[in-house]
Amino acid sequence: MILTVTLNTALDITHRVRSLRPHASHRVSEVTERPGGKGVNVARVLAALGHEVTVTGFTGGATGRVVQEKLAAVPGVMDALVPLSGATRRTVAVVDERTGDTTQLNEPGPTVTPAEWSAFQEAYEDLLPAASAVALCGSLPPGVPVGAYAGLIRTARSFGLPVLLDTSGEPLRRGVAARPDIIKPNADELAELTGSHEPLRATQDARRRGAGAVVASLGPDGLLAATREGRWRATPPTSLRGNPTGAGDAVVAALLSGLVEHLPWPDRLARAIALSAATVPAPVAGEFDRGTYEELLGLVTVANETSAA
């Protein structure tokens, strides 16, 4: 079982409009609602790949009940969310059908009390003996200590479990110091962590700070990985129009599946590129087009990156 942690779960609401224009009224052609938050999206992709997944984090209020109802309908995903008194946040994505661009509105999330944070830590530790790997994903809701991920990493590692961390800012900086096995920043997050805007140098620096492996998302330029086994650059064979929301979560799912399946790094990266590209034509985050994924998997270029950092 793979355990994904989403401390700031959400109800993802996606609106589709013909053309998004500032200061104008719009007719919405389609609305979809899905349980969301980065770790929940990761879990849905992992389940679609055939893995058993448990989702934990916080849920509360009427929105939280909707999240849990919809999560119960996802095959292969077990709900281990911890209740809290506040209401689960909503995120709203507006997709412009003319351009394919997406505008995202993210609420901050409910405030977590010290007692609720303690209850989560106990529930998290109870789940670890059955896990094969852990993913810690997304932002921290108000009230959760900024060093929360660092503590959760140390706890998982005390059980001998590999940990992937996907967050940003100060939670990422502190989390890296706890020595996660993999981090997956985008280019901006990596630059903020290391102070370097040169990706190869920055990935090496992030490893020196404590990360076992760094897989940096470089947008249309693909992925750059710095690991103990070597450095690779993986690039997509083509660019696809659609909704890119959730592409990074698909990368996390691919890296986790490759980790538990003991795939070599080039195969993990090829899967990550193909899977993230296959999310773009999908209507909402946490889903992917299987035909596109299978078509692209053999076309991804993964090359050794030998330039000195």
Side-chain angles (χ1 to χ4, degrees):
M1 177 269 287
I2 298 173
L3 179 64
T4 72
V5 176
T6 312
L7 296 177
N8 214 359
T9 54
L11 179 64
D12 286 348
I13 304 167
T14 302
H15 296 275
R16 301 184 72 88
V17 299
R18 179 167 296 181
S19 177
L20 183 61
R21 304 178 308 280
H23 317 299
S25 297
H26 297 80
R27 290 188 180 277
V28 176
S29 61
E30 182 183 358
V31 180
T32 56
E33 291 185 344
R34 294 288 189 278
K38 293 180 73 64
V40 175
N41 295 337
V42 169
R44 289 211 306 272
V45 175
L46 283 168
L49 290 173
H51 293 276
E52 292 186 0
V53 194
T54 296
V55 170
T56 192
F58 289 109
T59 185
T63 306
R65 288 192 292 274
V66 174
V67 167
Q68 291 188 283
E69 288 169 4
K70 293 184 177 297
L71 200 58
V74 181
V77 175
M78 188 180 83
D79 175 2
L81 294 168
V82 176
L84 80 170
S85 56
T88 296
R89 68 186 177 128
R90 298 160 297 179
T91 67
V92 179
V94 182
V95 180
D96 185 322
E97 294 177 335
R98 179 177 56 85
T99 65
D101 293 336
T102 300
T103 300
Q104 192 85 14
L105 303 173
N106 296 327
E107 296 179 357
T111 298
V112 178
T113 68
E116 289 166 342
W117 175 236
S118 294
F120 170 78
Q121 290 175 286
E122 292 178 8
Y124 171 74
E125 189 164 339
D126 288 343
L127 291 166
L128 293 177
S132 57
V134 178
L136 306 173
C137 303
S139 62
L140 299 180
V144 172
V146 71
Y149 283 139
L152 297 179
I153 291 167
R154 294 187 186 101
T155 301
R157 289 181 64 84
S158 73
F159 282 79
L161 295 174
V163 183
L164 186 152
L165 176 63
D166 182 16
T167 189
S168 60
E170 187 65 12
L172 174 60
R173 189 184 71 80
R174 297 200 187 192
V176 166
R179 308 187 72 80
D181 295 83
I182 306 171
I183 64 170
K184 193 218 67 66
N186 61 33
D188 291 340
E189 292 162 351
L190 184 62
E192 182 182 7
L193 173 67
T194 64
S196 173
H197 290 272
E198 200 292 304
L200 183 57
R201 185 177 300 279
T203 55
Q204 292 292 87
D205 183 38
R207 286 203 64 226
R208 285 190 288 269
R209 291 168 184 257
V214 181
V215 180
S217 297
L218 305 179
D221 293 329
L223 300 172
L224 179 63
T227 78
R228 294 183 182 90
E229 291 81 8
R231 299 192 296 269
W232 291 272
R233 191 179 294 268
T235 54
T238 185
S239 61
L240 299 172
R241 284 190 58 188
N243 180 7
T245 305
D249 302 332
V251 170
V252 171
L255 295 175
L256 280 168
S257 64
L259 173 68
V260 299
E261 294 171 28
H262 306 291
L263 296 181
W265 270 105
D267 291 347
R268 299 187 204 182
L269 297 171
R271 178 180 290 183
I273 289 286
L275 198 56
S276 62
T279 66
V280 175
V284 293
E287 297 182 2
F288 65 96
D289 184 89
R290 188 170 292 275
T292 301
Y293 166 63
E294 292 174 353
E295 178 184 349
L296 294 179
L297 187 58
L299 301 177
V300 177
T301 300
V302 182
N304 282 309
E305 185 61 67
T306 57
S307 301

